[in-house]
Amino acid sequence: MEDSGLGKEYLENVLGYPIEKFEVKAGAGVGDGYNCALFAVDVRKVAEPENPISIVVKCYPVNESRQQFLDSGNIFKVELGMYDTVIPALNKFQEILPEKERVPLPFAPMIFGQYIKPEDRLKLGRPLKPLDNSIVMSDLRKPANGPFILRDRFLGFDLDHYKLVIENQATLHAISWAYKSKRGLDSLYEEFPFLDNEHDDSLKPFMAFIDANIKTNEELFRDRPDIVGGLGHLKKIYASAAGLYSDCDMGQNEKGHTKDSILKVPGEIVQDEAPWTTLLHGDCWSNNLMFRYDQITGRPVQVVFIDLQMSRESDPMNDICYAIFTSAQPDVRRKHLKSMLHVYYDLFTGICEKFGVEPLPGWSWKELNRRFHRAQVIGGYMALGLHIVLRNPDDIENLDDAMAKVDTNKEDGDTDTSQKMEEFYSRMVNP
């Protein structure tokens, strides 16, 4: 934590008042897998020492290779833009409705944020410091602010948790669609160009992680020919699935792959279908969702989406399939899938009606199910890494330490970030 430079001067500049004392702790555990560094800070003001506040500071990691990876995908810039620009714009847009009809978005407000573009860093006259790129928010885990907590990822989402998630996915998707429709935009990128992020650079090294995961799962399930057969099909199409559902070039066009043709058993095909595109969280799984609970019943009553680095405009089936396949308990999928999709369908339709806009092109209950059916492949693709994130935390390395080993293995002068990240992801599966 000492290397981050997080101190009194930074905190007073961010908060705008003198500080009597502060305490800094790690904001995330080993194995949480966040690309950025995260710190939890308890602060006492000079003027009101009896009323301490708690904040979270998210900033660049110390390791330079990990900083280069964040630069290559612009993912920190995207998250800051979401908090600083997109979310306020969507909230402002809702003011066309009477206050009682507005729908809260599942995000916490930002206190402070800054980002220095790579091309402007030479003007600093010094190396980039982690806090040069940082986001500060209230610590939702403290009782005064909630408290919100992460669901234990070993437990997965039961029906109560998952219903909150899919309701808020529908809210985010529908409000962004209404915003775009009302403003006559073909794409949200027209107003928020930073969201139009090329994912090729970040996805290509991630393919090493997926490939290693398929091999690991083939070994784990060698006595289950049905699963091994499914993994064999996924091995043939996972790069195309990633490209098709992340709107980037992963070789799918050369292979003639479409969202329909990559399926092992194609469903009904609609000719010349119009794409569905809304704002996505983009990385919607249990580690990026915090819940507030009723103090009497213990049931979850509110969810907040965090870690918005992969947010973008794309197919809303991404978010739905990602969350249900990586985070929902198997019984939720087996017993409640149809009812949960109906929750999504009804809420999305209702929000469009509130704003007086037509839903997505070809919108119907049947069409939602068709598109969900074929998008399950992306849910399976993302769920491949579950055996990594569900490992004992004692067996998982700190990400800076893991990347430092990769840097040590590389020859002097080798600055290929993509190659470094490929080895980094491979080490996560086979340390």
Side-chain angles (χ1 to χ4, degrees):
M1 282 186 277
E2 294 80 4
D3 293 336
S4 70
L6 182 53
K8 184 177 181 181
E9 181 180 355
Y10 171 82
L11 292 170
E12 289 185 335
N13 178 59
V14 164
L15 298 173
Y17 49 73
I19 292 172
E20 181 183 84
K21 64 182 295 189
F22 66 94
E23 181 181 6
V24 182
K25 299 178 182 178
V30 174
D32 284 344
Y34 294 126
N35 284 313
C36 292
L38 204 63
F39 302 100
V41 188
D42 293 326
V43 178
R44 292 187 181 275
K45 309 176 189 178
V46 169
E48 302 177 69
E50 71 282 2
N51 293 317
I53 68 163
S54 298
I55 60 175
V56 170
V57 179
K58 188 172 191 176
C59 62
Y60 261 37
V62 173
N63 180 274
E64 289 186 12
S65 292
R66 288 182 64 206
Q67 291 182 1
Q68 290 167 8
F69 174 67
L70 290 172
D71 288 342
S72 69
N74 280 331
I75 55 182
F76 187 90
K77 182 180 178 182
V78 167
E79 180 164 33
L80 179 57
M82 280 289 292
Y83 283 119
D84 189 47
T85 309
V86 179
I87 296 169
L90 295 181
N91 284 326
K92 179 72 175 175
F93 164 67
Q94 290 207 66
E95 292 179 5
I96 66 175
L97 297 177
E99 188 170 358
K100 64 180 181 181
E101 293 186 26
R102 298 171 196 168
V103 187
L105 289 164
F107 304 108
M110 182 179 71
I111 295 173
F112 172 85
Q114 64 181 14
Y115 173 75
I116 300 175
K117 299 176 185 176
E119 59 267 28
D120 292 335
R121 292 174 193 169
L122 289 176
K123 302 173 185 176
L124 293 173
R126 57 168 174 77
L128 184 75
K129 297 179 180 178
L131 289 168
D132 288 329
N133 295 339
S134 55
I135 295 171
V136 179
M137 307 184 76
S138 294
D139 191 341
L140 300 176
R141 296 167 294 190
K142 298 295 183 176
N145 298 312
F148 286 80
I149 62 174
L150 291 172
R151 169 75 166 172
D152 186 336
R153 61 183 182 234
F154 287 88
L155 296 177
F157 295 156
D158 59 20
L159 186 59
D160 287 337
H161 286 84
Y162 184 70
K163 186 170 183 288
L164 273 175
V165 173
I166 200 166
E167 285 174 341
N168 282 276
Q169 287 177 328
T171 297
L172 172 62
H173 298 166
I175 290 177
S176 67
W177 171 254
Y179 179 92
K180 185 166 59 169
S181 300
K182 280 289 191 182
R183 298 177 75 84
L185 303 174
D186 291 328
S187 169
L188 291 170
Y189 301 153
E190 294 175 40
E191 288 197 8
F192 311 113
F194 56 85
L195 289 174
D196 188 10
N197 208 11
E198 293 292 335
H199 285 85
D200 306 51
D201 289 341
S202 55
L203 270 179
K204 285 176 181 175
F206 190 69
M207 292 298 103
F209 177 74
I210 297 298
D211 190 53
N213 272 321
I214 289 176
K215 293 175 182 176
T216 300
N217 280 288
E218 285 175 330
E219 179 62 25
L220 286 172
F221 296 103
R222 60 184 180 276
D223 297 328
R224 292 284 304 275
D226 55 332
I227 295 178
V228 172
L231 289 167
H233 177 71
L234 195 57
K235 187 187 298 186
K236 296 175 184 176
I237 56 89
Y238 69 81
S240 291
L244 288 164
Y245 282 94
S246 297
D247 309 298
C248 63
D249 181 10
M250 298 297 291
Q252 64 271 15
N253 293 329
E254 291 81 357
K255 297 173 184 175
H257 283 169
T258 67
K259 289 179 178 178
D260 291 306
S261 66
I262 60 173
L263 299 183
K264 190 173 185 179
V265 181
E268 180 184 352
I269 297 174
V270 174
Q271 298 298 326
D272 301 319
E273 69 173 46
W276 287 3
T277 56
T278 67
L279 181 63
L280 308 185
H281 176 281
D283 195 10
C284 203
W285 76 291
S286 59
N287 240 40
N288 295 330
L289 305 166
M290 299 182 74
F291 295 90
R292 183 172 63 83
Y293 295 84
D294 184 279
Q295 296 301 303
I296 297 175
T297 66
R299 295 179 65 178
V301 294
Q302 188 179 357
V303 64
V304 167
F305 292 1
I306 60 173
D307 206 26
L308 310 182
Q309 298 174 124
M310 300 300 291
S311 295
R312 63 189 188 281
E313 183 182 30
S314 191
D315 188 336
M317 297 301 110
N318 271 295
D319 272 357
I320 298 174
C321 288
Y322 193 171
I324 199 166
F325 279 95
T326 63
S327 306
Q329 295 173 356
D331 273 358
V332 172
R333 291 201 306 271
R334 285 194 289 261
K335 298 179 181 179
H336 304 287
L337 176 59
K338 184 176 181 180
S339 65
M340 289 299 98
L341 288 179
H342 242 307
V343 166
Y344 181 93
Y345 177 79
D346 291 342
L347 187 52
F348 193 108
T349 303
I351 289 174
C352 288
E353 289 174 353
K354 279 179 183 285
F355 287 102
V357 301
E358 291 295 321
L360 295 160
W363 182 253
S364 70
W365 170 240
K366 179 182 178 181
E367 181 63 6
L368 174 71
N369 278 269
R370 186 186 76 86
R371 297 196 187 216
F372 173 84
H373 167 75
R374 69 180 185 189
Q376 291 180 85
V377 68
I378 202 68
Y381 160 86
M382 295 309 304
L384 277 173
L386 281 179
H387 70 281
I388 302 301
V389 300
L390 296 179
R391 281 197 315 214
N392 188 320
D394 293 338
D395 298 330
I396 301 176
E397 232 178 346
N398 173 283
L399 294 187
D400 271 342
D401 293 341
M403 181 53 83
K405 290 182 180 178
V406 171
D407 288 338
T408 301
N409 290 340
K410 293 295 178 184
E411 296 178 2
D412 291 342
D414 186 350
T415 57
D416 189 327
T417 302
S418 180
Q419 287 184 1
K420 288 182 179 181
M421 292 311 300
E422 185 171 329
E423 183 176 333
F424 171 74
Y425 284 128
S426 295
R427 284 180 58 85
M428 289 178 67
V429 185
N430 302 300

